[in-house]
Amino acid sequence: MSEKINLTLKVWRQKRGEAGGFKTYEAKGIDTDASFLEMLDVVNDEITLKGEEEPIAFEHDCREGICGCCGSLVNGKTHGSHERTTLCQLHMRHFKDGETIVIEPFRAKAFPVIKDLIVDRSGLDQIIAEGGYVSVKTGNAPEASTTPIKKELAEAAMDAAECIGCGACVAACPNGAAMLFTAAKVSQYALLPQGHPERTQRVKNMVAKMDELGFGNCSNEYECAVACPKGIDVKNIARLNREFIKATLSQGK
Amino acid sequence: MSIKTTLMTSIGQKLLVATSGLVMFLLFLVPHMGGNVLFLFGPDLFNSYAHHLHQLVPVVIGIELLMLASISVHMATAVRLVLKNRQAADHRLSQKSSAERSLAAKLMPVSGVMIFIFIIKHLLDFKFYEKAKTTLHGIETYDVYAMVLSRFQSDPIHLLFYVGFMIAVGLHLSHALQSALQTYGLYVPREGSKIKLASAVIGWGMAATFAIIPVVAFIK
Amino acid sequence: MKLDAKIPEGPMAEKWTNHKFRVKLVNPANRRKHKIIVVGTGLAGASAAATLSEQGYQIEAFTYSDSPRRAHSIAAQGGINAAKNYPNDGDSIYRLFYDTVKGGDFRSREANVYRLAECSNLIIDHCVAQGIPFAREYGGYLDNRSFGGAQVSRTFYARGQTGQQLLLGAFGALQKEIKKGGVKMHTRCEVIDIVVIGGQARGIISRNLITGELTRHEADAVVLATGGYGNVFFLSTNAMNCNASAAWRAYKKGAAFANPCYTQIHPTCIPVHGEYQSKLTLMSESLRNDGRIWVPKKAGDKRPANQIPEEERDYYLERKYPSFGNLVPRDLASRNAKQVCDEGRGVGPTGQAVYLDFADAIQRLGKANIEAKYGNLFEMYNRITDEDPYTTPMMIFPAVHYTMGGLWVDYNLMTTLPGLYALGECNFSDHGANRLGASALMQGLADGYFVIPNTINDYLASNKFEKVSTGHDAFAQAEKEAKDKLDRLLAVKGNRTVDDFHKELGHLLWENCGMSRNEKGLTEALEKIPQIRAEFWKNVNVPGSADDLNQALEKANRVADFMEFAELMVRDALDRPESCGGHFREESQTEEGEAKRDDENFCYVAAWEFKGLDEEPVLHKETLEFEEVHLAQRSYK
């Protein structure tokens, strides 16, 4: 059954182009059936009507865990680190009455803060632009059943393709690396025959872009895999490494 | 992309660290441990091993040069990576906490620096040190056994230094081995991984084996 | 305004082929000279932008999200229909066409639907070539499943995330063209107005959502792919930022708005649980294959489900529709749930829910079987409600899910405003008064990948485009109006939040223009909406400034448009006293209480023309002719 709880929030507030800091808010009478973002809605309504400052800016859209918009560090953990759960699907029943919750933006050099809890994750799109697709023009495609694909491969590709691009892997990584994100895309196309003609170029270009944008290096500590709300596995990182080594060895071939 | 550019990418740099590390592990650390173990079987065997090693001077010098190159590459690349990662992660002001990373992984830079300090000290202790002579089966040779004994006997601080620094070796190796394999593309799972377990067993086993020698020397 | 649907001559099966040959083409060397603006980068927008760029046009694409990958197409779970007939179960293009026209309750345009069915197979070919990991059988070939409204298995799927995978495919294609330089992508940019010069759509005004800067963009054509208006109800399964603003601006600039009263209410959603609730979550319709829907026989029975004996339960769908039972179409399932709740027999803390009970299925098939089939849905339900559907019956209630109405478009997908096109959910064309499951993805991609790239050239080749500069008066005026509106919103400084007004409006519409509608309720709503709107402009509180990232201002600007749109929606509902598809008028029902269509008087598309906010809009009718599928009353008894 739902009940009402009171919480203290320490929220990161940052204006555009300025340094930020934590500010404390009281969240009173929060229904335990509410989602984390709905709790923030309630707090924002109060801030708005008080009229002393602007409501807390946070990114969100679908609120059903698939668009990848939402995400903050909650008590130091991405999306609050409830296994395989995005922040919008985290419910307040997991918090205790009287608890203090620290909420701050995803931190990484490649994710500069725009305002409050909103960060710029456009780097992830730039990595995809380097080859996170099959270059097929509309109209080029052969009949869909021409190439049978082993069920296991299709399933493994789907495991990788489930990435929602929220950036939690980057924020959770001690090095701010985008390896899991990049690996998921590279893996999807390394597993499926459709991705093979471009596989050499794809992995090289995507890795090069990842480095250029200031993401860190992978030190195989697997924080990303714990943080991923879709449970993308580090086997994809191993596969990315393999693809990269293969691409290097097949130089000029 | 040339090999050089490849090696400058993030994955390329990781491969450099992994490869230089593995070279040191396989060509130096493993044989070195094998030799050291002979210490436990008395002066004759140990001095004989040292003697034979000295017969192979060209090989030894070759390996020494390779070690010098490896350690330079290993350290230079690692330092570069650590600095870049510090910058990329943006830890300032954050309450970010970790859920998965092991202590060994977290302390890699620290254990790495400790091992470097240890290597210098170790070289000063045994390589660049005046050694006494002895005769073995009628041939005059260095009394390496006596030297080891003399360095540790009645010097508990020295002993503690050696044993303590072996903890750094254990930490470093236990993460390094599994990490290198994952970097080479061999899948090391997050949970219940045999490779992870083997990595820890080998790392800590080697560290313990190395640590036994000064302890034995101290007790004798 | 004259509605000319431009349906090509000839037999149904040859219309599209003939049309593609007859339309004018733009020489490849000249395409680079044409700039096209694409607004919205969901399935329809991203696929259109990518394909038009592949053909050589200069594209500027806009999304309010930080990335095109966030569009709400991503949330579609079930799948995408295509007439491949891989299962060899009698499917064909003609059958898909037939099912869609019938499912739409005979309120869609036959020629468009036929073309949609034709394109469906090309979509699957293309998406497979893109490397979309569709579900496969052990032999390595594509798997199909069945879906509501059809007797064949024609739905392709990628687990429960088909929309996500298709969107990411289109997103990849878009990124490919961005990289090549064919598409200039504007993220975090919301389109605020459409600019019309010389009677043609020639550009847009957009607002940079980070800096608040208003910018002008000129083009030879503008393509809207901005989704539906379901969020007018406040609570819906749409994403929080989905809005009708771009379509509404287009309407105010001369594009007719068609059938705004057609909204789809999905029967299996997680019920509302509190005032703070921000959105509703849909659960796949497939649950109705094994779950039994019931409520207590007695009104006001507050006992827990397991204490209500079998003989005191009313399995109302099984009772009323013995041959279809729990598997009646969406509109029937939804309407009946509302009816029993209105009788006071609803369950749960709010009384606005019915049980979906798996106890019998678990007994019959075993828990393991049910878990294999629905495990992920049960987990999702448990995550949100904290209840275990294996032991207590699920509670469900209908929720607004999709809108069939939208901007009126001709066969070329052009609105009545020359040079302005509408694709995907934001047009009205293919689903009539009710959309079948797994057809939204099909339509979005058909429009974007295959239709618009073959029709927009006709307009570009047959018109002369004077060079317009963004310094033109029309741009200046549109920008000024946009700025004034934002400033006015900020200046009110009232006592109520934007959401508060949005909830009030949504509640009114849900009660009076929701699952079932009547003249009294609609008339009342039509009176109340202008009052709420007036109160909104007097008493809304929008904090912050216009030259900064200001989410409250973004929302206020969208809600201000919903306040106007709602009136048109209710007016359209009032003006259609027949029942059809998602639009159930209580005055028009059979003796058994089922929906009764009136083909004699209402077999038309209602396209509304804007005449000024205080003027009544003018109704234009596009009469629907059914050459292939014969008009018949649906029955699921």
Side-chain angles (χ1 to χ4, degrees):
Chain A
M1 276 316 273
S2 78
E3 49 183 310
K4 306 277 184 200
I5 55 172
N6 298 321
L7 301 158
T8 305
L9 308 182
K10 278 179 72 186
V11 185
W12 185 264
R13 302 302 308 259
Q14 182 169 352
K15 288 192 174 135
R16 195 152 51 87
E18 292 177 19
F22 285 104
K23 230 182 141 185
T24 306
Y25 299 89
E26 297 299 321
K28 293 210 178 81
I30 299 299
D31 195 301
T32 47
D33 273 346
S35 71
F36 197 87
L37 300 186
E38 285 166 347
M39 182 274 292
L40 285 180
D41 288 342
V42 172
V43 173
N44 269 345
D45 277 356
E46 256 175 53
I47 297 177
T48 302
L49 292 177
K50 232 186 196 172
E52 284 163 11
E53 59 180 332
E54 286 187 48
I56 303 157
F58 64 94
E59 204 143 21
H60 63 103
D61 201 15
C62 79
R63 295 205 179 186
E64 48 187 282
I66 191 77
C67 75
C69 275
C70 68
S72 296
L73 288 185
V74 175
N75 292 336
K77 304 257 199 283
T78 51
H79 294 293
S81 251
H82 214 73
E83 204 185 337
R84 297 186 68 141
T85 304
T86 55
L87 194 56
C88 62
Q89 293 290 291
L90 179 66
H91 284 73
M92 297 313 292
R93 64 182 75 97
H94 301 296
F95 295 89
K96 284 191 221 54
D97 189 30
E99 195 174 335
T100 299
I101 306 177
V102 183
I103 311 168
E104 55 184 322
F106 278 176
R107 312 266 189 185
K109 180 167 168 263
F111 286 174
V113 173
I114 294 175
K115 187 177 183 178
D116 297 343
L117 304 175
I118 300 182
V119 298
D120 180 0
R121 288 169 291 188
S122 56
L124 299 181
D125 280 8
Q126 292 182 51
I127 294 174
I128 297 293
E130 291 300 315
Y133 41 76
V134 172
S135 297
V136 53
K137 284 186 178 173
T138 312
N140 279 350
E143 153 60 41
S145 63
T146 311
T147 317
I149 298 172
K150 255 176 101 169
K151 187 178 170 68
E152 292 79 4
L153 283 182
E155 293 293 324
M158 183 64 200
D159 287 341
E162 284 194 41
C163 168
I164 57 173
C166 66
C169 50
V170 177
C173 176
N175 311 328
M179 282 288 275
L180 191 63
F181 172 82
T182 308
K185 216 16 119 188
V186 167
S187 281
Q188 180 189 345
Y189 296 121
L191 287 160
L192 297 174
Q194 287 86 354
H196 290 182
E198 297 171 280
R199 69 196 295 182
T200 305
Q201 261 342 90
R202 173 179 302 118
V203 65
K204 285 181 180 173
N205 292 349
M206 288 177 74
V207 168
K209 183 51 100 178
M210 184 176 89
D211 296 346
E212 180 199 317
L213 294 170
F215 291 100
N217 301 275
C218 180
S219 44
N220 304 321
E221 304 183 41
Y222 301 174
E223 287 287 348
C224 52
V226 180
C228 178
K230 294 291 143 181
I232 311 267
D233 192 78
V234 287
K235 78 167 57 145
N236 294 299
I237 294 184
R239 191 177 291 112
L240 167 66
N241 291 335
R242 284 202 298 279
E243 285 291 302
F244 187 82
I245 294 168
K246 266 191 244 166
T248 306
L249 296 179
S250 68
Q251 212 81 248
K253 273 180 205 162
Chain B
M1 212 195 274
S2 68
I3 291 280
K4 195 180 151 218
T5 359
T6 304
L7 290 179
M8 291 312 284
T9 63
S10 54
I11 299 180
Q13 295 268 291
K14 287 288 301 172
L15 286 167
L16 270 183
V17 175
T19 308
S20 54
L22 280 179
V23 164
M24 289 189 283
F25 176 77
L26 291 174
L27 293 186
F28 175 71
L29 216 52
V30 172
H32 186 37
M33 184 183 71
N36 282 12
V37 167
L38 298 177
F39 179 85
L40 303 177
F41 301 96
D44 283 8
L45 202 55
F46 193 61
N47 282 339
S48 156
Y49 152 70
H51 180 74
H52 285 103
L53 208 58
H54 275 277
Q55 308 286 294
L56 300 168
V57 167
V59 178
V60 171
I61 289 181
I63 289 189
E64 278 175 351
L65 287 176
L66 187 60
M67 285 313 112
L68 195 64
S70 295
I71 201 165
S72 312
V73 169
H74 195 75
M75 285 188 59
T77 319
V79 166
R80 205 172 155 268
L81 286 178
V82 168
L83 292 179
K84 186 166 186 245
N85 289 342
R86 288 259 153 92
Q87 216 186 9
D90 189 14
H91 290 294
R92 292 164 305 134
L93 298 167
S94 176
Q95 317 251 333
K96 179 159 144 182
S97 60
S98 49
E100 179 72 14
R101 66 191 310 208
S102 61
L103 190 68
K106 199 171 179 173
L107 293 177
M108 283 304 266
V110 177
S111 55
V113 168
M114 280 175 72
I115 291 169
F116 182 66
I117 294 170
F118 174 78
I119 290 172
I120 292 173
K121 163 96 173 116
H122 191 51
L123 288 174
L124 290 175
D125 278 351
F126 294 103
K127 190 168 175 71
F128 307 114
Y129 186 78
E130 196 60 37
K131 300 169 188 82
K133 298 272 174 89
T134 182
T135 15
L136 187 71
H137 310 304
I139 306 159
E140 189 177 62
T141 183
Y142 292 118
D143 192 352
V144 185
Y145 187 84
M147 176 178 71
V148 174
L149 273 185
S150 73
R151 300 296 292 160
F152 290 107
Q153 263 170 354
S154 66
D155 191 350
I157 294 177
H158 201 216
L159 172 73
L160 277 182
F161 178 87
Y162 265 71
V163 173
F165 273 74
M166 281 310 114
I167 294 176
V169 171
L171 274 174
H172 205 78
L173 285 182
S174 65
H175 177 71
L177 294 173
Q178 60 173 52
S179 179
L181 293 179
Q182 169 88 359
T183 299
Y184 282 124
L186 191 87
Y187 172 40
V188 180
R190 181 158 73 86
E191 284 165 322
S193 160
K194 287 193 180 120
I195 299 179
K196 270 192 179 180
L197 183 69
S199 182
V201 168
I202 294 173
W204 287 109
M206 282 183 86
T209 312
F210 276 120
I212 284 175
I213 289 120
V215 172
V216 170
F218 179 76
I219 295 167
K220 273 203 175 161
Chain C
M1 185 184 284
K2 227 185 105 230
L3 300 178
D4 178 4
K6 299 199 176 123
I7 300 168
E9 297 297 316
M12 193 58 74
E14 289 164 27
K15 283 183 197 291
W16 179 229
T17 312
N18 291 343
H19 188 68
K20 280 190 284 186
F21 177 71
R22 283 190 205 123
V23 293
K24 289 190 182 148
L25 300 177
V26 180
N27 177 308
N30 286 338
R31 290 182 201 154
R32 192 71 211 146
K33 296 177 191 157
H34 290 290
K35 197 206 280 181
I36 302 167
I37 285 173
V38 178
V39 185
T41 49
L43 275 186
S47 56
T51 308
L52 291 170
S53 167
E54 283 166 7
Q55 295 186 342
Y57 295 107
Q58 262 187 77
I59 307 298
E60 293 213 28
F62 292 79
T63 173
Y64 53 67
S65 298
D66 70 322
S67 160
R69 68 182 296 154
R70 312 283 185 215
H72 200 54
S73 312
I74 207 154
Q77 298 169 355
I80 177 166
N81 286 334
K84 285 285 193 187
N85 194 29
Y86 288 155
N88 194 27
D89 56 359
D91 202 6
S92 62
I93 288 175
Y94 196 87
R95 188 178 292 283
L96 174 55
F97 153 72
Y98 181 93
D99 287 348
T100 309
V101 170
K102 184 177 168 223
D105 218 1
F106 302 92
R107 290 295 174 266
S108 52
R109 193 189 285 149
E110 273 193 334
N112 286 50
V113 179
Y114 195 90
R115 175 177 64 190
L116 175 67
E118 266 184 289
C119 291
S120 68
N121 291 343
L122 298 173
I123 296 171
I124 300 303
D125 295 343
H126 186 57
C127 291
V128 166
Q130 281 181 333
I132 285 167
F134 282 117
R136 287 178 184 263
E137 295 170 343
Y138 279 103
Y141 290 95
L142 291 157
D143 192 18
N144 288 117
R145 63 180 170 202
S146 58
F147 232 82
Q151 288 168 301
V152 294
S153 292
R154 61 158 75 102
T155 305
F156 293 79
Y157 64 100
R159 294 197 187 142
Q161 293 110 293
T162 318
Q164 180 199 25
Q165 294 310 313
L166 295 177
L167 180 65
L168 293 182
F171 163 74
L174 183 62
Q175 291 298 334
K176 159 175 77 79
E177 293 304 307
I178 292 171
K179 168 81 178 153
K180 269 200 208 136
V183 178
K184 185 156 187 273
M185 186 69 225
H186 301 264
T187 55
R188 297 192 195 271
C189 256
E190 179 155 27
V191 171
I192 298 275
D193 208 354
I194 316 288
V195 177
V196 181
I197 297 173
Q200 293 172 311
R202 291 306 300 271
I204 56 157
I205 305 291
S206 80
R207 179 167 183 270
N208 179 321
L209 297 183
I210 297 178
T211 63
E213 190 192 357
L214 295 173
T215 46
R216 309 169 183 186
H217 304 269
E218 93 293 343
D220 296 335
V222 177
V223 176
L224 296 187
T226 53
Y229 47 83
N231 266 353
V232 70
F233 289 90
F234 185 74
L235 282 181
S236 78
T237 65
N238 283 6
M240 301 300 289
N241 294 313
C242 291
N243 65 82
S245 287
W248 188 246
R249 312 309 301 173
Y251 166 73
K252 288 174 95 170
K253 290 285 168 99
F257 209 110
N259 302 333
C261 76
Y262 292 162
T263 49
Q264 183 167 72
I265 317 266
H266 197 288
T268 49
C269 298
I270 297 176
V272 179
H273 43 75
E275 259 306 295
Y276 52 83
Q277 186 148 1
S278 56
K279 79 153 275 160
L280 297 170
T281 304
L282 179 107
M283 283 186 306
S284 173
E285 227 173 335
S286 61
L287 288 171
R288 285 197 282 144
N289 285 320
D290 285 303
R292 295 181 72 194
I293 295 175
W294 65 273
V295 289
K297 280 185 177 162
K298 231 178 22 220
D301 190 343
K302 286 285 158 202
R303 285 176 293 175
N306 56 12
Q307 288 173 22
I308 301 179
E310 196 62 28
E311 62 275 11
E312 289 178 45
R313 300 176 175 191
D314 178 14
Y315 295 88
Y316 57 91
L317 289 179
E318 297 170 21
R319 172 171 58 81
K320 288 168 79 173
Y321 310 97
S323 60
F324 274 72
N326 293 300
L327 285 172
V328 292
R330 288 176 178 179
D331 50 344
L332 280 184
S334 296
R335 210 152 46 232
N336 278 284
K338 178 181 157 52
Q339 210 169 45
V340 293
C341 290
D342 287 349
E343 289 164 16
R345 299 195 286 146
V347 298
T350 58
Q352 294 291 308
V354 299
Y355 287 126
L356 179 61
D357 199 337
F358 287 86
D360 286 355
I362 289 172
Q363 207 164 29
R364 194 176 69 241
L365 305 166
K367 191 181 166 190
N369 254 319
I370 293 294
E371 195 172 346
K373 259 175 149 172
Y374 307 111
N376 58 339
L377 291 167
F378 279 27
E379 194 186 305
M380 179 172 90
Y381 181 83
N382 171 264
R383 184 170 301 173
I384 294 175
T385 63
D386 204 26
E387 279 179 8
D388 178 13
Y390 293 103
T391 53
T392 29
M394 272 188 184
M395 283 190 275
I396 54 162
F397 200 66
V400 176
H401 171 56
Y402 186 88
T403 56
M404 281 74 67
L407 292 172
W408 185 90
V409 288
D410 63 15
Y411 191 73
N412 293 323
L413 302 184
M414 187 156 87
T415 66
T416 55
L417 176 59
L420 183 74
Y421 290 78
L423 319 183
E425 191 180 350
C426 98
N427 75 27
F428 88 104
S429 76
D430 296 352
H431 307 297
N434 176 52
R435 179 177 66 75
L436 292 181
S439 284
L441 299 179
M442 173 170 70
Q443 188 218 342
L445 289 182
D447 287 0
Y449 282 133
F450 296 104
V451 180
I452 189 83
N454 283 299
T455 59
I456 202 167
N457 36 295
D458 194 40
Y459 172 75
L460 295 172
S462 39
N463 285 280
K464 272 217 154 69
F465 294 93
E466 302 285 331
K467 180 100 185 88
V468 298
S469 99
T470 50
H472 192 284
D473 280 352
F475 276 100
Q477 206 197 332
E479 186 184 317
K480 188 176 175 303
E481 278 170 22
K483 188 177 179 309
D484 288 350
K485 188 178 165 204
L486 296 174
D487 288 343
R488 258 170 54 212
L489 284 167
L490 287 165
V492 181
K493 295 266 172 280
N495 297 319
R496 290 175 63 187
T497 61
V498 177
D499 270 358
D500 197 19
F501 280 105
H502 195 178
K503 281 179 192 171
E504 185 185 354
L505 177 73
H507 190 73
L508 176 73
L509 292 176
W510 179 244
E511 290 302 321
N512 296 21
C513 194
M515 278 182 281
S516 81
R517 302 143 179 203
N518 58 50
E519 191 179 341
K520 185 170 159 284
L522 290 167
T523 317
E524 185 190 293
L526 205 53
E527 271 167 34
K528 275 196 185 156
I529 293 166
Q531 293 165 13
I532 301 175
R533 188 167 64 222
E535 170 73 6
F536 173 81
W537 281 103
K538 258 199 312 235
N539 201 15
V540 71
N541 185 324
V542 186
S545 72
D547 53 7
D548 190 11
L549 191 156
N550 187 340
Q551 292 172 310
L553 180 63
E554 292 163 26
K555 205 187 301 172
N557 197 33
R558 294 168 191 157
V559 171
D561 288 333
F562 277 141
M563 292 275 173
E564 298 175 9
F565 167 77
E567 205 175 325
L568 186 71
M569 179 169 143
V570 173
R571 189 178 299 279
D572 185 46
L574 190 59
D575 209 59
R576 189 178 284 276
E578 66 156 350
S579 294
C580 60
H583 172 66
F584 182 77
R585 279 291 297 262
E586 288 161 16
E587 297 88 342
S588 178
Q589 43 184 313
T590 62
E591 280 164 20
E592 297 99 1
E594 300 305 331
K596 202 169 105 194
R597 248 185 17 243
D598 178 355
D599 293 325
E600 208 160 301
N601 297 306
F602 296 99
C603 197
Y604 61 77
V605 176
W608 298 91
E609 183 186 1
F610 183 70
K611 286 287 178 190
L613 201 54
D614 302 319
E615 307 282 319
E616 286 203 7
V618 174
L619 174 66
H620 300 270
K621 296 176 183 173
E622 179 199 339
T623 307
L624 293 168
E625 317 260 351
F626 290 90
E627 298 168 27
E628 301 284 334
V629 188
H630 293 295
L631 286 163
Q633 201 73 241
R634 296 187 305 170
S635 170
Y636 296 92
K637 286 277 171 187

